[in-house]
Amino acid sequence: MLIDWFTVCAQTLNFLILVWLMKRFLYKPVLNAINAREALVAKELKDANAKKTEARKERDEFQTKNDEFDRHRAELLSKATQDAGVERTRLLAEARKAADDLSAKRQQSLSSDARQLNQAISQRAQKEVFAIARKTLSDLGSASLEEQIAEVFIRRLKELDEKSKKTLVEAHKSVSDPFLVRCTFDLPAKHQTAIRLAIQQSLFPKAQIQFETSAELVGGIEMVVQGQKVAWSISNYLESLEKGVVELLNEKVETGSSEKPAVKAVVRHRSGSHPKEASAKPPARSR
Amino acid sequence: MVFWSHAFLKLNGTIVFTWAIMLVLAGGSKLVTRKLSTGLKRSGWQNLLEIVVTAIENQIRDVGLSRPEKYLPFLGTLFLFVATASLFTIIPGYEPPTGSLSTTAALALCVFVAVPLYGIEEQGVGGYLKSYVQPTIIMLPFNIISELSRTLALAVRLFGNMMSGAMIISILLTITPFIFPVVMTALGLLTGMVQAYIFTILAAVYIAAATRTTKRGPELAAST
């Protein structure tokens, strides 16, 4: 017989036992392990998602801070650029002002030098001219220069118009000062007497007269009372010489150095302040 | 092959080989599952068992049983037992217990009993019994016959396949003792695996039918 019922029962029992054994030793532990692993994976995925979220948040924060930092840096850079521009402008202005001051000082110094040089040349020229004139007069005739000057002065006193005489007399009366006669050289007694006589005759008979030697007058003689003056000097003749010297200096300066603007300015200044041309005829200043 | 007998008690080869299979399956499972890893790193044996278990579970789910873990011990053991019984045919002197009609009948009886038990568990006694009169009461005898015949078919199909395979190999061994029986043994392995799969899937289908017959009613009612 193909079917043995004892075997069937035994195999049924065996199978049921096997089911229990397999459930006990295989399915349950394996399923538990799988579930535990799935839970672990799920937890790790959850953690990973949490970390991802946190990382994204941190990245956003970092991005925000980075943007803020960039913006702040740009602001600082802009401010620094602006400050640098302002400082540059200020420094340039200071430098320009310093350069202008220096230039003005140099110009002033050059002007002063030129003025002194001009004055020195003028005085030297006056002295030389005076010496030449004296020697020429001495060589040509017996008359001395001082004598000629005294005679010219006396003649000018005598040729004064009435108005000038009146002004001089009134000036003398108001202060009762003596007439001060200044001369470049020591007037000889003869000439002093002649001048005194000329003054007393022409202006005031009782005039007190005081003679004085002054080196400032170059080859001249003058009478001063209360600011009024009658004078003759060869300095006026030297003005043309001075003008020629100035023109010569200008030419030198124009062909020469970097100092030409200052010298030119000085020359213009001088020619502007003394516009009158040199004249052979000495001006008689009287009031 | 009878090892021991007393009255109606007989210790035959079927029972002994069944015990051997039980020992291998349970002992191997015990050995492997002693130190199961719940982490991401695990041993090869654990991997093998997990693959087998999850594959069976997926097959049960694919049949239509929504909670495969509930049916896994029964259906999984059916498959593993039949498959192991076939696999051991490569061992000389071994006779598969599934080549005995008593064993296949026992397995079919287990299925025969398990199907109504699962059905009653799911639907209750009334709900399960009602499935026998669906769609009309006229179908009652046919349903009962169907239950019996499919159980018989389960037993005979497995028995026939396994016995024929073993018998063909034994005949071939006497005729051509060298290469050809090896080929047939390999073919027998394939046949055995297919039979294990068929037996298990059919059991799963029967259980699914028993547990879904009355469940489909409310679902249909709800859908209409």
Side-chain angles (χ1 to χ4, degrees):
Chain A
M1 189 170 177
L2 286 175
I3 294 181
D4 177 18
W5 290 107
F6 171 75
T7 307
V8 170
C9 293
Q11 289 295 75
T12 304
L13 186 63
N14 284 336
F15 180 72
L16 293 177
I17 291 170
L18 182 62
V19 168
W20 180 82
L21 286 174
M22 295 301 280
K23 183 179 180 182
R24 171 81 172 74
F25 293 123
L26 180 64
Y27 304 120
K28 200 172 179 181
V30 169
L31 288 177
N32 285 341
I34 291 173
N35 290 335
R37 185 178 304 112
E38 285 179 350
L40 179 69
V41 170
K43 182 176 176 296
E44 287 188 355
L45 281 174
K46 189 179 175 185
D47 290 347
N49 282 331
K51 283 181 180 174
K52 195 175 175 183
T53 307
E54 190 178 353
R56 193 177 290 120
K57 187 181 170 187
E58 286 183 358
R59 188 198 63 188
D60 292 344
E61 283 181 7
F62 174 75
Q63 187 68 38
T64 306
K65 285 182 181 176
N66 207 14
D67 291 345
E68 181 70 19
F69 173 74
D70 285 346
R71 192 180 60 76
H72 188 58
R73 190 183 62 179
E75 281 180 4
L76 284 178
L77 189 63
S78 172
K79 188 172 180 302
T81 307
Q82 196 175 355
D83 290 349
V86 171
E87 184 66 14
R88 176 177 169 274
T89 308
R90 189 184 68 77
L91 288 174
L92 276 175
E94 278 185 4
R96 196 172 288 119
K97 186 173 178 300
D100 289 346
D101 290 347
L102 188 62
S103 175
K105 277 184 182 175
R106 287 189 62 196
Q107 187 175 348
Q108 193 175 0
S109 172
L110 284 172
S111 176
S112 175
D113 291 347
R115 200 180 301 116
Q116 288 174 1
L117 180 64
N118 198 15
Q119 193 173 0
I121 290 172
S122 178
Q123 286 180 353
R124 181 67 179 271
Q126 284 177 355
K127 284 179 182 175
E128 291 295 329
V129 168
F130 188 67
I132 292 168
R134 178 185 289 155
K135 190 167 189 341
T136 305
L137 285 174
S138 173
D139 291 345
L140 292 176
S142 58
S144 68
L145 181 61
E146 289 80 1
E147 190 178 345
Q148 289 298 317
I149 290 173
E151 284 181 4
V152 171
F153 181 69
I154 290 167
R155 188 168 63 244
R156 184 155 292 179
L157 276 175
K158 287 177 180 176
E159 287 174 356
L160 280 175
D161 57 5
E162 289 301 324
K163 188 180 175 184
S164 299
K165 287 179 182 177
K166 190 177 178 183
T167 304
L168 289 168
V169 169
E170 284 177 358
H172 175 67
K173 281 180 180 175
S174 64
V175 293
S176 68
D177 283 346
F179 287 95
L180 178 61
V181 177
R182 290 191 296 190
C183 188
T184 311
F185 46 85
D186 293 335
L187 274 172
K190 185 177 70 174
H191 293 134
Q192 285 188 9
T193 306
I195 290 171
R196 184 177 290 111
L197 280 173
I199 292 171
Q200 288 174 349
Q201 288 173 1
S202 301
L203 300 175
F204 196 66
K206 296 178 181 176
Q208 298 295 320
I209 298 161
Q210 182 183 349
F211 289 94
E212 190 179 281
T213 302
S214 172
E216 293 176 0
L217 288 170
V218 179
I221 185 168
E222 67 180 8
M223 183 193 72
V224 180
V225 58
Q226 192 62 25
Q228 303 296 321
K229 186 167 74 172
V230 176
W232 182 92
S233 171
I234 64 169
S235 64
N236 291 324
Y237 295 104
L238 297 174
E239 283 185 0
S240 64
L241 175 63
E242 183 182 346
K243 188 178 177 185
V245 169
V246 168
E247 286 175 356
L248 184 63
L249 281 174
N250 280 343
E251 287 175 6
K252 293 257 184 193
V253 166
E254 282 171 0
T255 56
S257 64
S258 60
E259 296 175 355
K260 60 185 176 183
V263 174
K264 278 179 81 174
V266 170
V267 170
R268 283 195 200 102
H269 172 72
R270 285 207 42 90
S271 56
S273 63
H274 299 285
K276 55 189 176 185
E277 294 180 359
S279 170
K281 184 179 177 183
R285 297 174 62 189
S286 63
R287 289 188 186 170
Chain B
M1 188 186 295
V2 177
F3 294 99
W4 176 81
S5 68
H6 177 73
F8 65 94
L9 300 178
K10 279 189 293 187
L11 189 61
N12 53 25
T14 303
I15 294 173
V16 171
F17 288 129
T18 300
W19 286 350
I21 291 170
M22 287 170 66
L23 184 65
V24 168
L25 286 177
S29 300
K30 171 71 177 170
L31 280 175
V32 174
T33 57
R34 268 185 317 172
K35 288 184 281 185
L36 280 179
S37 164
T38 55
L40 297 178
K41 287 189 74 177
R42 50 198 184 270
S43 66
W45 285 108
Q46 182 179 345
N47 260 338
L48 176 66
L49 288 190
E50 286 186 7
I51 288 168
V52 169
V53 170
T54 50
I56 297 170
E57 200 177 29
N58 289 334
Q59 284 296 323
I60 295 170
R61 188 182 287 110
D62 290 345
V63 166
L65 294 167
S66 58
R67 289 186 297 163
E69 67 277 0
K70 181 180 175 184
Y71 310 101
L72 180 64
F74 180 72
L75 295 172
T77 307
L78 265 181
F79 175 79
L80 288 177
F81 177 72
V82 177
T84 311
S86 301
L87 188 67
F88 281 3
T89 54
I90 59 174
I91 299 171
Y94 168 80
E95 287 183 6
T98 47
S100 163
L101 189 59
S102 299
T103 304
T104 57
L107 297 177
L109 278 174
C110 288
V111 174
F112 180 76
V113 174
V115 168
L117 282 179
Y118 283 124
I120 290 168
E121 187 184 1
E122 285 287 325
Q123 312 297 331
V125 178
Y128 176 72
L129 291 178
K130 202 186 286 180
S131 68
Y132 282 94
V133 295
Q134 295 293 335
T136 64
I137 197 165
I138 302 171
M139 295 300 292
L140 177 63
F142 299 105
N143 283 330
I144 294 170
I145 292 168
S146 170
E147 289 285 329
L148 294 172
S149 64
R150 75 188 185 190
T151 304
L152 182 64
L154 270 179
V156 172
R157 184 189 300 110
L158 180 61
F159 162 70
N161 279 284
M162 300 309 294
M163 184 206 65
S164 62
M167 201 168 286
I168 287 170
I169 290 168
S170 60
I171 293 169
L172 284 175
L173 276 173
T174 59
I175 301 171
T176 55
F178 294 112
I179 303 299
F180 202 64
V182 175
V183 178
M184 289 307 295
T185 303
L187 191 63
L189 277 177
L190 178 65
T191 309
M193 292 299 150
V194 171
Q195 288 306 314
Y197 178 74
I198 288 172
F199 197 97
T200 307
I201 288 297
L202 284 175
V205 168
Y206 298 154
I207 292 170
T211 54
R212 288 200 309 176
T213 304
T214 51
K215 195 186 274 184
R216 192 177 292 163
E219 285 176 3
L220 287 170
S223 63
T224 55

